[in-house]
Amino acid sequence: MNDLFGTGYSNSYDLLYSDKDYGVECDLIVRAIGEYGLNPTRSILDLGCGTGNHALPLARRGYEVVGIDRSEQMLALARTKARDLNAGKADFNSGDIRSADLGRKFDATLMMFAVLGYQLYNEDVLSALRTARQHIRPGGVLIFDVWYGPAVLNLKPSERAKVIPIPDGQILRFADGNLNISDQICTVNYRLWRIKDDRVITRIEESHQVRYFFPRELDLLLESSGFRRVRTSAFPEFEREPDETTWNALVIAQTA
């Protein structure tokens, strides 16, 4: 397997998730900030920012957004998009969300697209949450999404295939997964084939391990990091509570 979010996967990332409605997700983030965050909120820290698909739309809405990610390939794409889109105040930095220290505070912090779930062990989850707490002003809000344990156990990972047309051919992505129930980890194996002239010209394989969470577990982890959970909703269905059919849940926490 290649390194996680390696060059090949990163270069295909925005194509793979071109059907994901980041605009709607940013609407929910803005709503959550308005209902639970500081007024006014001007600055946002995006931990695990990837290629900037939340940071850049939020910057265009007038927020100052600083992103941190470990993947240099993803950061390079984010910086290129920021220049091309004239995205406003968006800055992207290399770093580990478990230990990053920017030496400043923000009004709100994000960890979107299951970023917290990529922290597999309790010490890693707590370190990431404490990084968020260290960078939030008193009264600020932390917003993140997770794979919701009751739904993961009910629905279970399945085999999936996705076809993405590109100008000179297509990309095929195959995914299959399995659960380690005792460790609360879902492993998803991705295979990407780039097709041109009916031939496979590149093959990329990555195996992603993602932790899933339960509500009281989240409460304990958040409280141990200086937060209190104030809302959990289905994601992106903000008005609905998560249940055993809701793979993704949005969590909003305030500084304790």
Side-chain angles (χ1 to χ4, degrees), residues 163-225:
V163 180
I164 302 99
I166 57 177
D168 61 348
Q170 58 187 358
I171 296 173
L172 305 183
R173 188 190 73 177
F174 305 96
D176 63 82
N178 59 79
L179 295 180
N180 180 333
I181 293 176
S182 61
D183 288 338
Q184 294 179 210
I185 292 174
C186 179
T187 299
V188 183
N189 304 306
Y190 293 111
R191 290 173 292 140
L192 271 62
W193 295 359
R194 191 180 185 98
I195 309 292
K196 183 178 180 180
D197 298 329
D198 296 324
R199 293 187 302 110
V200 179
I201 59 172
T202 58
R203 299 173 188 261
I204 300 165
E205 295 186 4
E206 289 198 0
S207 183
H208 292 214
Q209 291 185 303
V210 181
R211 177 172 172 170
Y212 50 91
F213 295 90
F214 295 86
R216 291 193 177 183
E217 171 191 17
L218 284 170
D219 285 340
L220 181 60
L221 292 165
L222 287 165
E223 289 166 7
S224 298
S225 307

Side-chain angles (χ1 to χ4, degrees), residues 135-176:
H135 288 87
I136 296 183
R137 291 190 176 92
V141 67
L142 168 65
I143 302 167
F144 61 97
D145 65 307
V146 295
W147 289 7
Y148 189 64
V152 173
L153 294 181
N154 176 50
L155 299 174
K156 298 181 176 59
S158 59
E159 293 186 3
R160 293 167 289 144
K162 190 173 187 178
V163 180
I164 302 99
I166 57 177
D168 61 348
Q170 58 187 358
I171 296 173
L172 305 183
R173 188 190 73 177
F174 305 96
D176 63 82

Side-chain angles (χ1 to χ4, degrees), residues 52-103:
N53 288 325
H54 293 101
L56 294 173
L58 290 168
R60 287 197 295 271
R61 298 183 190 207
Y63 295 99
E64 176 202 359
V65 186
V66 175
I68 295 177
D69 205 281
R70 292 180 63 182
S71 170
E72 292 293 348
Q73 293 87 356
M74 303 280 263
L75 289 170
L77 292 168
R79 291 171 183 139
T80 297
K81 290 194 294 185
R83 289 193 298 269
D84 293 345
L85 297 173
N86 191 23
K89 292 184 177 180
D91 184 39
F92 297 99
N93 299 271
S94 177
D96 188 325
I97 68 169
R98 297 170 298 179
S99 57
D101 183 359
L102 297 179

